[in-house]
Amino acid sequence: MRAGVVGGGSWGTALAALLARRGHEVRLWTRREAIASAIRATRTNEAHLPGVPLPADLDATSDLERAVANAEVIFVALPSEVCRGIYRELRSLLPGGATLVSATKGLEVDTLQRMTEVAAEEAPGHGLAVLSGPSFAWEVAREQPTAVVVASRDLAVAEGLQRAVAGRTFRAYSSDDVTGVELAGALKNVIAIAAGIVDGLGYGHNTVAALLTRGLAEITRLAVARGGRADTLAGLAGLGDLVLTCTGGLSRNRSVGQALGRGQSLADALAAVGTAEGVRSTRAACALAAAAGIDLPIALQMRSVLYDNKPPREAVEALMLRSLKRE
Amino acid sequence: MRAGVVGGGSWGTALAALLARRGHEVRLWTRREAIASAIRATRTNEAHLPGVPLPADLDATSDLERAVANAEVIFVALPSEVCRGIYRELRSLLPGGATLVSATKGLEVDTLQRMTEVAAEEAPGHGLAVLSGPSFAWEVAREQPTAVVVASRDLAVAEGLQRAVAGRTFRAYSSDDVTGVELAGALKNVIAIAAGIVDGLGYGHNTVAALLTRGLAEITRLAVARGGRADTLAGLAGLGDLVLTCTGGLSRNRSVGQALGRGQSLADALAAVGTAEGVRSTRAACALAAAAGIDLPIALQMRSVLYDNKPPREAVEALMLRSLKRE
């Protein structure tokens, strides 16, 4: 398979390395030529995936046209806010018949669209899929056993991708629930911020476990209201990624929450970690929920913390003091 | 409320302290008079909950009759293998109208019965409930915010207990799914051993997250086949406690798995942690699954590790190399 990977951050680089190790012909696109040339010269991406040796035949380029020329599959692993622009650029560059695979876990805030919806608008006429699940880039790059979901409305496309990416330490399950997989990936980051806050405030594991449980119920309600399936949320893209993000320690979204819980400002917290999709996704989740008439207590409290300066402790106490009820 | 708590380990002591702080009149029974008298003298249980100050009005006794005399509710927090004997002893001691609340997370291996089934056989004629959920004793004792489930077939009983235990930092949700709550509490320990093994072998967070996701699906299948509800397994007693036990770091079941993963023998691993319910529950889970015609890949691999000396790495690889399929 000839594959392009668009996005030279940690996840794009790990995906490109994975594909190259499977024997695919891979070109990795990064916006900055300095990173692309460093990857070619040093066989590492020290800026985003330090210390991980990359396959010798992994090509890197800052020329988007070159990255996707002749590619059968193009993976896009970029922050959600730049995806529309990139898909627009790709429109005239994509080979006919190429499949687009979104590896982004976020929603477009202004339109509330999922990334494959954005892709379909900006670069129509291509097969579409999403790859998601509990997959810290560094661990994938280090070949730690990892399992993900590949979803496409066309199950044959999902199954083809499943075979293309899978190997001894990387398993892919196929699904046709694109909506559920994309919403799971975006919404779990909202709960991860809350879990970080709980930790940053000094609460214990019991509290995080309760929050995570209520959080999965909450994002499942919203995903189902938007057309996703509950069993997708209970699977790798939902529960699996939620557990990873809320307890794994390496997540940027959880780190932002931790910093807030310790009393830092959002600006300082974001300065330390860079992009955290959950900050934007919180706003998108609340807007989607309002439109669907769904109650999202955790997301609403997070929105108050992130956008209205509500003290994190008050938000957590409001969640814990909700009136008693049946589970 | 007058309450007896039978079992002076960490969980029984934490429950007794919680109830006493709510203003209930509580007697805590421990088999060893040395521990009971130490609790009375020092207001701590240094053997099982070191460093946690206990309420001044919490009574402790090694006289079972005295512990339950006049009690309206008796909580039993003992290892599963001693429960039948204790419920048999309680039969002639229990006040009429007293409610029994099981706080044990295990199954009886020989009969495959849940603890409320054992209680109903040995001490019939009493209201029965189970209390379960993500609740490390030390954190409950330290008043870290915690949420649990109280289930009884008689929802009025569950709701009465819910009000009796709940306070600012301890929330209880009521349920009538006794079967689901008890099976969740017992079966999650099987997955916790597997999670410990994965960690002990040196695998990363991605692997644990995938295992936990597949594990919840597996124990849900069994619980539903036995009459529990899937939403109970997705709640605090299932997902919540599974996350806590697999990632929280304080679990004895996970510790046993870690030790096995690092190459220790089961005997050495158990010697270090004392009781680990999951070792027995693995055998019970496999027997229940065989009777119900349910496939439990993780539990079967754990049984091979625990009882047939299968090398842990082979067991994990067998799980990760299962053939690709749809989620």
Side-chain angles (χ1 to χ4, degrees):
Chain A
M1 182 174 94
R2 288 182 302 278
V5 177
V6 176
S10 58
W11 187 215
T13 305
L15 275 177
L18 172 86
L19 293 164
R21 283 196 209 104
R22 295 287 168 277
H24 301 304
E25 190 185 321
V26 184
R27 285 187 180 155
L28 172 63
W29 176 84
T30 69
R31 189 179 296 280
R32 290 163 56 198
E33 173 56 27
I35 291 182
S37 57
I39 291 174
R40 292 193 304 269
T42 68
R43 294 288 123 211
T44 63
N45 182 345
E46 286 304 318
H48 297 298
L49 208 58
V52 175
L54 302 175
D57 51 355
L58 169 60
D59 195 6
T61 177
S62 61
D63 177 347
L64 190 59
E65 182 170 0
R66 182 163 177 274
V68 303
N70 301 315
E72 295 153 276
V73 178
I74 292 103
F75 294 80
V76 177
L78 288 168
S80 60
E81 83 261 36
V82 303
C83 282
R84 184 173 291 276
I86 286 288
Y87 284 119
R88 191 173 296 159
E89 278 188 69
L90 285 173
R91 179 174 193 153
S92 61
L93 304 177
L94 290 175
T99 298
L100 286 168
V101 184
S102 171
T104 298
K105 292 172 183 170
L107 299 167
E108 191 172 58
V109 176
D110 294 337
T111 64
L112 306 179
Q113 284 179 325
R114 295 177 279 104
M115 290 303 111
T116 59
E117 293 178 306
V118 172
E121 267 186 19
E122 298 295 340
H126 293 277
L128 283 172
V130 54
L131 184 154
S132 194
S135 48
F136 282 143
W138 193 87
E139 294 189 2
V140 170
R142 289 290 188 173
E143 300 191 78
Q144 293 285 8
T146 299
V148 299
V149 181
V150 176
S152 174
R153 279 195 207 160
D154 182 346
L155 204 50
V157 168
E159 287 169 352
L161 289 165
Q162 174 183 40
R163 285 188 294 274
V165 300
R168 188 171 169 76
T169 59
F170 193 83
R171 318 298 292 169
Y173 292 81
S174 58
S175 165
D176 60 4
D177 184 13
V178 175
T179 302
V181 170
E182 285 196 290
L183 287 177
L187 297 175
K188 59 93 188 171
N189 285 327
V190 180
I191 310 303
I193 292 176
I197 286 178
V198 163
D199 189 61
L201 286 168
Y203 293 123
H205 297 104
N206 292 357
T207 315
V208 172
L211 177 86
L212 194 153
T213 306
R214 309 305 296 176
L216 184 63
E218 167 171 328
I219 68 177
T220 299
R221 283 199 301 275
L222 178 55
V224 168
R226 298 289 301 178
R229 288 202 305 265
D231 63 348
T232 299
L233 275 287
L236 292 163
L239 167 58
D241 209 359
L242 182 67
V243 166
L244 182 75
T245 313
C246 291
T247 68
L250 301 172
S251 149
R252 285 184 285 204
N253 294 286
R254 181 165 170 265
S255 297
V256 165
Q258 276 180 320
L260 292 169
R262 289 179 188 137
Q264 281 188 39
S265 70
L266 178 59
D268 287 351
L270 285 174
V273 303
T275 298
E277 288 280 358
V279 176
R280 282 190 299 273
S281 295
T282 297
R283 205 142 52 97
C286 291
L288 283 173
I294 302 279
D295 183 29
L296 296 192
I298 299 172
L300 285 173
Q301 292 293 340
M302 289 306 105
R303 189 180 63 179
S304 295
V305 170
L306 295 168
Y307 295 102
D308 302 325
N309 291 311
K310 183 170 192 169
R313 187 173 298 276
E314 283 179 25
V316 171
E317 288 182 353
L319 291 169
M320 290 303 294
L321 295 177
R322 299 186 79 211
S323 62
L324 294 180
K325 59 181 185 185
R326 297 191 197 162
E327 190 173 41
Chain B
M1 182 175 94
R2 288 182 303 279
V5 176
V6 175
S10 57
W11 186 215
T13 305
L15 274 176
L18 172 87
L19 293 164
R21 285 196 208 104
R22 295 286 168 277
H24 302 304
E25 189 183 321
V26 184
R27 284 185 180 156
L28 173 62
W29 177 84
T30 69
R31 189 178 297 278
R32 290 161 58 196
E33 173 56 26
I35 290 182
S37 58
I39 291 173
R40 291 194 304 269
T42 67
R43 295 287 123 210
T44 62
N45 183 344
E46 286 304 317
H48 296 300
L49 207 58
V52 174
L54 301 175
D57 51 355
L58 169 60
D59 195 7
T61 177
S62 61
D63 178 346
L64 191 60
E65 182 170 1
R66 183 163 176 274
V68 304
N70 301 314
E72 296 154 276
V73 179
I74 292 103
F75 294 80
V76 177
L78 288 168
S80 59
E81 83 261 36
V82 303
C83 281
R84 184 173 291 275
I86 286 288
Y87 284 119
R88 192 173 297 160
E89 278 189 69
L90 285 173
R91 179 173 191 151
S92 61
L93 304 177
L94 290 175
T99 298
L100 286 168
V101 184
S102 171
T104 297
K105 292 173 183 169
L107 299 167
E108 192 172 58
V109 175
D110 294 337
T111 64
L112 305 179
Q113 284 179 324
R114 295 176 280 106
M115 290 303 111
T116 60
E117 293 178 304
V118 172
E121 266 186 19
E122 298 295 340
H126 292 277
L128 283 171
V130 53
L131 185 154
S132 194
S135 48
F136 283 142
W138 193 88
E139 294 189 2
V140 170
R142 289 290 188 173
E143 301 192 79
Q144 293 284 10
T146 298
V148 300
V149 180
V150 176
S152 175
R153 279 194 207 161
D154 181 347
L155 204 49
V157 168
E159 287 168 351
L161 289 164
Q162 174 183 41
R163 285 187 294 273
V165 300
R168 188 171 168 77
T169 59
F170 193 83
R171 318 298 293 168
Y173 291 80
S174 58
S175 165
D176 60 3
D177 185 13
V178 175
T179 302
V181 169
E182 284 195 292
L183 287 177
L187 298 174
K188 59 93 189 171
N189 285 327
V190 180
I191 310 302
I193 292 176
I197 286 178
V198 164
D199 188 61
L201 287 168
Y203 293 124
H205 300 288
N206 292 357
T207 316
V208 172
L211 177 87
L212 193 153
T213 306
R214 309 305 294 175
L216 183 63
E218 167 172 328
I219 67 176
T220 300
R221 282 199 302 275
L222 178 55
V224 168
R226 298 289 301 177
R229 289 203 304 266
D231 62 349
T232 299
L233 274 287
L236 292 163
L239 167 59
D241 210 359
L242 183 67
V243 166
L244 183 75
T245 312
C246 290
T247 68
L250 302 173
S251 149
R252 284 183 285 204
N253 294 287
R254 180 164 171 266
S255 297
V256 165
Q258 276 180 319
L260 293 169
R262 289 178 188 137
Q264 281 188 39
S265 70
L266 179 60
D268 288 350
L270 285 174
V273 304
T275 298
E277 289 280 359
V279 176
R280 281 189 301 272
S281 296
T282 297
R283 206 142 52 97
C286 291
L288 283 174
I294 301 278
D295 182 30
L296 297 192
I298 299 173
L300 286 172
Q301 291 294 339
M302 290 306 105
R303 189 180 63 179
S304 296
V305 170
L306 294 169
Y307 295 102
D308 302 325
N309 291 310
K310 182 168 192 169
R313 187 174 296 277
E314 284 180 23
V316 171
E317 288 181 353
L319 290 170
M320 290 303 294
L321 296 177
R322 300 185 79 210
S323 62
L324 293 180
K325 59 181 185 186
R326 297 190 198 163
E327 190 172 41

